[in-house]
Amino acid sequence: MPNTAAWFATNSEVPAFTSGPDGTLTGWTGAAERLLQVHADEVLGSSCHEVVAGRDQFGNLYCGRDCPIRRMARRGISISSFRLGVAVGAGKRLPFNISIVVVEGGPDRGPSLVHLLEPIFGEPDGRLGLEHHRLPRCRSTRRIERLTAREVEVLRMIGTGAATGDCAAALGISAVTVRNHVQSCLRKLDAHNRIEAVRLAERLGFFNGSQIQ
């Protein structure tokens, strides 16, 4: 998935930021600017843990130089969505669900991480003017179609950072077939790209089997 950070920085409508193998911020979407009240120019090139300053649900500092999420990504461990209190603007901190997409960087580089942000509503510290920042919904839910079990398998692997060749080898199919499945998923989910398709599939319940043909 070449130049993922650059793509997110210029195209994604989802609140997200990307960090490189060394933990520095490489992408910060316009939606993240609005949500976190920080402009990309202020943070790109800075250490992710210093900018995000994430804390767990008990208020303990979670983000640090030795990032546990990056450590899991390097070891190939699946990363589930998690809750994190994130710094917003000056002196505020609000709760978010964080989903991670791992982008492999090749044999000589560690993985890059795409952090997808979703505000947690309905709590006292999550209601400070964020209602209009909800994640964008599908442009037309009537266009959403059910995915096949194989399409879900492909999307699930992509969500772990697997490349087309990796998916093909793991599933015993050709790279062309993998690409065809991906294109079918993009069409059925009305998604612009693979990462958006993964996120939509997760939110719409495909990964728990509730929407599979």
Side-chain angles (χ1 to χ4, degrees), residues 10 12 85 125 165 187:
T10 56
S12 179
D125 58 349
R187 177 184 60 78

Side-chain angles (χ1 to χ4, degrees), residues 7-212:
W7 187 94
F8 259 88
T10 56
N11 294 281
S12 179
E13 298 178 356
V14 175
F17 60 87
T18 60
S19 57
D22 61 353
T24 59
L25 290 169
T26 56
W28 192 272
T29 68
E33 289 181 335
R34 295 187 294 272
L35 186 61
L36 301 180
Q37 302 173 26
V38 178
H39 195 274
D41 291 343
E42 301 177 62
V43 296
L44 292 182
S46 302
S47 295
C48 179
H49 70 273
E50 293 177 350
V51 174
V52 176
R55 294 184 178 271
D56 65 20
Q57 60 183 322
F58 304 107
N60 300 312
L61 185 63
Y62 183 83
C63 293
R65 188 177 302 276
D66 184 24
C67 173
I69 300 302
R70 190 168 305 282
R71 190 165 61 245
M72 292 172 64
R74 286 196 300 264
R75 296 173 59 186
I77 299 173
S78 178
I79 303 170
S80 301
S81 299
F82 57 96
R83 172 176 169 157
L84 199 66
V86 176
V88 175
K92 292 190 294 184
R93 189 179 305 278
L94 295 174
F96 293 86
N97 281 323
I98 311 292
S99 298
I100 301 293
V101 177
V102 179
V103 182
E104 296 299 336
D108 299 326
R109 291 174 57 83
S112 295
L113 303 180
V114 179
H115 304 66
L116 303 168
L117 309 174
E118 183 168 14
I120 297 176
F121 296 92
E123 300 184 6
D125 58 349
R127 300 180 60 86
L128 302 180
L130 292 179
E131 286 74 12
H132 63 292
H133 286 304
R134 292 180 184 272
L135 283 177
R137 302 299 177 185
C138 301
R139 290 176 294 283
S140 173
T141 56
R142 290 174 297 180
R143 294 182 60 184
I144 299 299
E145 300 178 34
R146 292 181 181 272
L147 302 182
T148 66
R150 179 49 59 88
E151 288 168 346
V152 171
E153 284 184 294
V154 170
L155 277 188
R156 196 190 301 275
M157 292 193 66
I158 290 172
T160 66
T164 298
D166 299 326
C167 294
L171 299 176
I173 57 180
S174 70
V176 172
T177 301
V178 171
R179 294 190 186 96
N180 288 339
H181 284 313
V182 170
Q183 290 304 312
S184 177
C185 290
L186 296 181
R187 177 184 60 78
K188 289 182 176 181
L189 296 174
D190 194 19
H192 288 104
N193 55 78
R194 295 183 176 202
I195 293 177
E196 185 179 359
V198 169
R199 184 59 174 147
L200 285 170
E202 180 181 36
R203 290 176 54 201
L204 292 169
F206 286 101
F207 289 167
N208 62 23
S210 63
Q211 301 287 340
I212 301 174

